[in-house]
Amino acid sequence: MAAQQVRDGFTELYGTEPDGVWSAPGRVNLIGEHTDYNDGFVMPFALPHTAIAAVSKREDGVLRLHSADVEGGIVELRLDDLAPESDRNWTAYPAGVVWALREAGHQVTGADVHLASTVPAGAGLSSSAALEVVVALALNDLYDLGLQRWQLARLCQRAENVYVGAPTGIMDQTASACCETGHALFLDTRDLSQKQIPFDLAAEGMVLLVVDTQVKHSHSEGEYGKRRAGCERGAALLGVDALRDIPYGELDAALKRLGDDEEAVRLVRHVVTEDERVEKVVALLESGETRAIGPVLIAGHASLRDDFRISCPELDLVVDTALASGALGARMTGGGFGGSAIVLAEATDVESITKAVQEAFSAAEFTAPRVFEAVPSAGARRLV
């Protein structure tokens, strides 16, 4: 139904049928936060919430963009005029993909694009990556570029890093492009090797809730970039290419070498212990001990809150309230400074946990959160 609506919207806008319709999902990161730009491990899965794009080729060097979710008409851009950090609007994400493809030598000569998305913006669920990946997949198909999914993810990351100017890692785009239904994606961000880990909570009587705090964040703003720069500085002080290269068993010795550099100690400790947590969750899921990942999620939140310092009162309130109400585990997810938390719970406890979180937000006079079940879903694909 959504695909048909976007297709009809394209026809109404542009006066002709699109060449096709594609979708790409947002994602939730189960564990592995701020490790991707440190060459570490991550474990996202795709959401059922998607960006959908109806797209047709053009041969005249013009890119026309329209979103059903943003007020305003069609935005028309000339491909030869696309330049990094020249656009501060939503159009930077799809335009950046076209720019990245052309910069990589691919002969993209233009497109008409109509988009609609159900991925909540600013919620830490990768709404921007979904926009990038859906456009990249459409152009890859329409222009017969022959690029693999991981290659599309790399180009989308370049679009976001260079064209948009947001220093994100590779996780979000890879998750949107490569995840599979009923699985979480264990991704090594150094070599991009992947392993699909079965993650069917419903079969075990559990649910993973996403609690969108409604506190908006933006990766383009300074705090995310400061954390990334701090991690790079920590790696340089320790004489390694990336913090991935500090083994968990040698963490204490590494921290001693950093001396009284308190910021470097905190950032390094988070990244090294977070990589260890990802590997622990993989081992537990593969051995069928799904409920045992709860304490690992809790430890991950404490590290993000205390060492990486990217939580906020709303996220902490979700985690604390959920755990006090019987949740198996909970933590913030995504880039931080707002966005969403995840809550692992027995299916029988979902209603009471949800009510407790809503009441806690009301008592704190916070904006009411949006709560929904996260179901591991399909990655990007052609719909029509």
Side-chain angles (χ1 to χ4, degrees), residues 39-42 170 186-194 244:
D39 283 1
F41 305 124
V42 295
I170 189 64
F186 177 38
L187 173 67
D188 182 333
T189 65
R190 170 163 282 171
D191 62 13
L192 297 188
S193 59
Q194 303 177 16
R244 151 73 174 277

Side-chain angles (χ1 to χ4, degrees), residues 34-384:
H34 288 266
T35 50
D36 57 347
Y37 55 78
N38 290 291
D39 283 1
F41 305 124
V42 295
M43 199 174 184
F45 62 87
L47 288 167
H49 306 72
T50 59
I52 298 177
V55 185
S56 285
K57 291 172 63 175
R58 293 180 68 96
E59 307 293 339
D60 58 357
V62 170
L63 175 64
R64 295 198 292 179
L65 300 169
H66 185 270
S67 170
D69 309 311
V70 180
E71 288 188 11
I74 296 169
V75 177
E76 184 170 312
L77 304 168
R78 292 207 58 81
L79 300 191
D80 290 342
D81 295 337
L82 299 180
E85 299 193 53
S86 61
D87 186 350
R88 295 300 179 189
N89 299 307
W90 71 269
T91 48
Y93 297 99
V97 170
V98 177
W99 172 85
L101 285 167
R102 284 164 56 86
E103 281 284 301
H106 301 291
Q107 299 303 308
V108 176
T109 56
D112 287 338
V113 181
H114 175 54
L115 290 152
S117 179
T118 58
V119 185
L125 303 175
S126 298
S127 58
S128 59
L131 283 183
E132 293 157 359
V133 170
V134 73
V135 171
L137 182 61
L139 296 176
N140 187 52
D141 288 352
L142 291 178
Y143 282 95
D144 295 319
L145 302 180
L147 295 168
Q148 300 297 310
R149 294 299 182 96
W150 67 268
Q151 293 173 303
L152 292 177
R154 275 288 194 213
L155 284 164
C156 290
Q157 182 199 16
R158 177 166 169 75
E160 188 148 349
N161 290 173
V162 181
Y163 194 90
V164 178
T168 56
I170 189 64
M171 174 180 65
D172 296 350
Q173 293 84 1
T174 305
S176 186
C178 300
C179 280
E180 295 181 2
T181 302
H183 292 76
L185 179 68
F186 177 38
L187 173 67
D188 182 333
T189 65
R190 170 163 282 171
D191 62 13
L192 297 188
S193 59
Q194 303 177 16
K195 187 175 184 181
Q196 301 287 344
I197 308 296
F199 191 54
D200 185 359
L201 292 175
E204 299 186 60
M206 287 178 286
V207 168
L208 190 77
L209 295 174
V210 173
V211 182
D212 176 5
T213 65
Q214 306 283 355
V215 178
K216 303 302 181 186
H217 72 163
S218 171
H219 281 164
S220 300
E221 294 173 2
E223 291 300 320
Y224 184 99
K226 288 179 185 176
R227 299 305 188 281
R228 181 165 185 163
C231 290
E232 291 168 353
R233 188 174 70 86
L237 289 171
L238 293 170
V240 294
D241 291 336
L243 294 182
R244 151 73 174 277
D245 296 313
I246 305 297
Y248 179 72
E250 298 175 16
L251 175 60
D252 288 344
L255 297 182
K256 286 180 182 177
R257 287 165 54 199
L258 293 172
D260 59 359
D261 190 331
E262 187 258 351
E263 180 188 52
V265 166
R266 287 190 292 98
L267 297 181
V268 170
R269 182 166 53 214
H270 166 71
V271 173
V272 176
T273 58
E274 187 78 347
D275 274 335
E276 173 72 5
R277 283 187 283 271
V278 177
E279 293 188 289
K280 187 177 293 185
V281 168
V282 171
L284 288 169
L285 291 179
E286 289 188 323
S287 63
E289 300 175 72
T290 306
R291 285 175 174 78
I293 73 171
V296 188
L297 302 183
I298 297 169
H301 182 77
S303 183
L304 290 163
R305 182 192 63 212
D306 301 335
D307 277 345
F308 229 64
R309 298 187 179 177
I310 58 170
S311 191
C312 66
E314 291 86 351
L315 288 168
D316 292 340
L317 184 60
V318 173
V319 171
D320 294 343
T321 304
L323 294 176
S325 304
L328 298 168
R331 73 173 191 90
M332 59 154 287
T333 187
F337 314 107
S340 299
I342 55 174
V343 177
L344 180 68
E346 303 288 356
T348 52
D349 293 334
V350 166
E351 186 175 343
S352 60
I353 291 171
T354 300
K355 182 180 179 182
V357 169
Q358 291 169 336
E359 290 178 347
F361 267 58
S362 178
E365 299 184 347
F366 292 154
T367 300
R370 178 188 181 203
V371 184
F372 59 91
E373 182 180 351
V375 180
S377 301
R381 61 200 189 278
R382 187 167 187 163
L383 301 176
V384 178

